[in-house]
């Protein structure tokens, strides 16, 4: 019986190490260690042996059983990882390759020129200590008009043709609504910018869109003057256009600033000589701005006797148009990939 045991052991170990499939190993396991297996049969027949023989053979049988079980597990896991490596080798795909039938590399998307400009401006203002705030596109009448010193039935409401919703709310006509939300949120002194999409119920032409982008800005502190406003605006324009830009201020009417201005820049397309973009005037209207009206400060919960500030509303589309010499604002939302691919 001893010899038989050793023979089973040697044969089985040989078979295990030469087997090439997990199924084969399982078959070996059943044949030798299963309920009716060769080794199991020996263990079962131990009772027929003498006491001495029984303990010796029993001990050896159990050793061999453990050794075989070990060998089986080891070989199984070897074959398992070999199978996985083989799958990885045979089934990997190169995601950077062209798809079948295509001749050029897959097209990569990129950031829209308006977003590029927006992020750049956020960076410029962040470096000057401004915080970037957000606001909703569907807006309450209160934030878009009322708190900006434009009461109901005020003729200034006609300056901004509005998309109203049936329940009396609106799509914001300007980012100035963010001024009020900012004042509610922050304690003076503070500096904020609020970029975003705005909407006007307007027919479109080369310089008008019903959907466009602005960056609102507001600085509240002690003794803010027009000089502070001009400095920050010129600093911004110098960074955006990477050159000193000539500016001029004209009076402009906005109920939420007093005094209010239109800041024009010398036309960068023609260098101020006069062209189609500046309508032969040499100047381009770019930045409405002014000192914050005391009523607006009050709406924002800020004491106008202690604090003052400036605000501006930068037209992002126009800024991008100036930078690249784009002459029709409607390109931006046209979805024409030939236009967008240029940026
Ligand atoms: N909100 C104004 C507009 O869209 C622009 C503006 C902003 C004017 C801030 C003055 C101060 O026309």
């Amino acid at each position: 019986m001893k010899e038989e045991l050793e023979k089973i052991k040697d044969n089985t170990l040989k078979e295990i190490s030469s087997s090439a499939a997990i199924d084969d190993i399982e078959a070996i396991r059943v044949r030798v260690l299963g309920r009716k297996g060769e080794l199991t049969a020996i263990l079962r027949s131990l009772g027929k042996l003498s006491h001495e023989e029984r303990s010796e053979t029993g001990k050896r049988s159990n050793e061999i059983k453990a050794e075989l079980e070990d060998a089986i597990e080891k070989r199984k896991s070897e074959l398992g990882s070999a199978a996985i490596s083989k799958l990885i080798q045979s089934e990997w795909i190169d995601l950077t390759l062209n798809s079948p039938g295509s001749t050029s590399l897959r097209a990569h998307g990129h950031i829209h020129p308006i977003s590029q400009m927006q992020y750049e401006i956020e960076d410029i203002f962040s470096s000057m200590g401004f915080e970037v705030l957000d606001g909703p596109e569907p807006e309450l009448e209160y934030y878009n008009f009322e708190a900006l010193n434009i009461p109901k039935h005020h003729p200034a409401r006609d300056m901004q043709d509005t998309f109203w919703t049936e329940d009396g709310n609106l799509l914001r006509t300007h980012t100035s609504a963010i001024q009020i939300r900012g004042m509610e949120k922050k304690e003076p002194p503070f500096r904020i910018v609020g970029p975003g999409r705005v909407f006007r119920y307007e027919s479109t032409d080369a310089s008008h869109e019903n959907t466009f982008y602005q960056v609102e800005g507001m600085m509240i502190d002690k003794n803010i003057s027009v000089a502070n406003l001009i400095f920050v605006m010129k600093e911004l324009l110098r960074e955006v256009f990477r050159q000193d830009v000539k500016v001029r201020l004209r009076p402009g009417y906005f109920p939420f600033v007093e005094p209010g201005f239109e800041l024009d820049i010398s036309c960068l397309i023609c260098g101020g000589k006069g062209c189609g973009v500046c309508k032969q005037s040499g100047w381009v209207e770019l930045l409405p701005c002014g000192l914050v009206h005391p009523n607006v400060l009050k709406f924002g919960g800020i004491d106008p006797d202690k604090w003052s500030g400036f605000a501006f509303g930068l037209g992002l589309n126009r800024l991008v148009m100036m930078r690249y010499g784009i002459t029709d604002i409607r390109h931006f939302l046209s979805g024409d990939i030939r236009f967008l691919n240029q940026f």
Side-chain angles (χ1 to χ4, degrees):
M1 191 164 293
K2 254 193 205 160
E3 278 154 39
E4 203 185 327
L5 261 180
E6 298 305 326
K7 216 171 100 197
I8 291 178
K9 184 193 116 179
D10 292 343
N11 282 344
T12 314
L13 282 179
K14 237 181 264 161
E15 278 183 72
I16 290 173
S17 62
S18 64
S19 63
I22 289 180
D23 285 350
D24 297 346
I25 299 185
E26 183 56 19
I28 295 170
R29 192 190 64 76
V30 170
R31 201 193 71 224
V32 181
L33 302 172
R35 224 154 31 95
K36 293 177 180 161
E38 294 163 11
L39 192 68
T40 317
I42 292 181
L43 280 163
R44 286 225 173 106
S45 66
L46 287 178
K48 293 181 198 139
L49 299 176
S50 69
H51 181 74
E52 210 170 290
E53 248 188 325
R54 191 191 309 162
S55 76
E56 201 183 317
T57 315
K59 190 166 157 250
R60 185 66 190 137
S61 301
N62 280 320
E63 282 170 7
I64 290 176
K65 188 175 174 212
E67 192 177 339
L68 291 179
E69 278 169 349
D70 253 21
I72 286 172
E73 279 317 304
K74 224 171 110 203
R75 185 70 187 142
K76 268 189 181 169
S77 84
E78 270 171 24
L79 288 175
S81 32
I84 289 173
S85 312
K86 204 172 139 204
L87 269 183
I88 291 174
Q89 285 301 318
S90 64
E91 292 193 359
W92 76 283
I93 43 172
D94 183 349
L95 293 173
T96 65
L97 283 180
N98 291 342
S99 45
S102 82
T103 48
S104 63
L105 276 177
R106 201 179 300 268
H108 289 266
H110 66 280
I111 298 174
H112 192 281
I114 296 217
S115 307
Q116 290 179 31
M117 182 64 93
Q118 178 190 322
Y119 299 152
E120 207 174 298
I121 284 171
E122 286 178 10
D123 283 347
I124 295 170
F125 278 110
S126 299
S127 76
M128 292 195 275
F130 284 72
E131 184 181 335
V132 182
L133 291 189
D134 205 358
E137 290 174 354
E139 187 51 285
L140 300 175
E141 187 184 353
Y142 174 79
Y143 287 107
N144 197 83
F145 290 128
E146 206 88 3
L148 285 162
N149 205 26
I150 316 175
K152 265 204 177 71
H153 310 302
H154 192 286
R157 288 210 179 182
D158 299 339
M159 290 162 62
Q160 303 185 351
D161 291 313
T162 308
F163 288 108
W164 292 93
T165 62
E166 278 168 7
D167 54 3
N169 298 313
L170 49 80
L171 294 182
R172 67 177 173 199
T173 58
H174 51 184
T175 45
S176 295
I178 299 176
Q179 284 184 31
I180 309 294
R181 292 182 174 274
M183 284 188 283
E184 285 180 355
K185 220 178 275 168
K186 307 203 62 78
E187 286 292 322
F190 64 80
R191 304 168 196 188
I192 53 167
V193 284
R197 181 160 56 170
V198 300
F199 308 86
R200 302 270 172 98
Y201 183 52
E202 273 181 342
S203 43
T204 60
D205 61 30
S207 51
H208 292 88
E209 248 300 2
N210 52 37
T211 303
F212 54 101
Y213 293 79
Q214 295 183 329
V215 178
E216 196 74 11
M218 180 181 234
M219 173 171 179
I220 303 286
D221 210 320
K222 298 234 156 88
N223 305 315
I224 293 292
S225 71
V226 175
N228 298 120
L229 168 64
I230 294 176
F231 174 80
V232 171
M233 296 298 93
K234 285 186 87 166
E235 201 60 22
L236 164 74
L237 296 171
R238 197 165 54 82
E239 293 268 356
V240 168
F241 294 110
R242 299 186 177 91
Q243 55 178 293
D244 279 320
V245 179
K246 232 168 55 188
V247 305
R248 74 174 185 192
L249 286 186
R250 286 179 293 122
Y253 173 66
F254 305 94
F256 34 97
V257 284
E258 179 59 38
F261 306 104
E262 291 284 1
L263 186 148
D264 300 339
I265 65 168
S266 170
C267 181
L268 295 167
I269 307 244
C270 61
K273 284 197 213 77
C275 67
V277 170
C278 61
K279 300 196 184 86
Q280 311 305 329
S281 74
W283 295 94
V284 178
E285 190 178 306
L286 191 69
L287 243 166
C289 54
L291 297 185
V292 183
H293 195 289
N295 287 350
V296 175
L297 289 173
K298 275 189 228 158
F299 271 113
I302 292 173
D303 182 351
D305 293 329
K306 280 203 201 136
W307 302 97
S308 52
F310 66 71
F312 59 87
L314 179 64
L316 270 185
N317 300 62
R318 188 147 316 156
L319 206 56
V320 175
M321 290 169 80
M322 280 314 284
R323 176 186 267 179
Y324 297 113
I326 298 164
T327 51
D328 193 324
I329 193 174
R330 290 169 295 190
H331 284 308
F332 289 115
L333 297 178
S334 65
D336 189 337
I337 209 76
R338 293 168 306 176
F339 170 73
L340 292 174
N341 271 341
Q342 301 174 75
F343 302 99

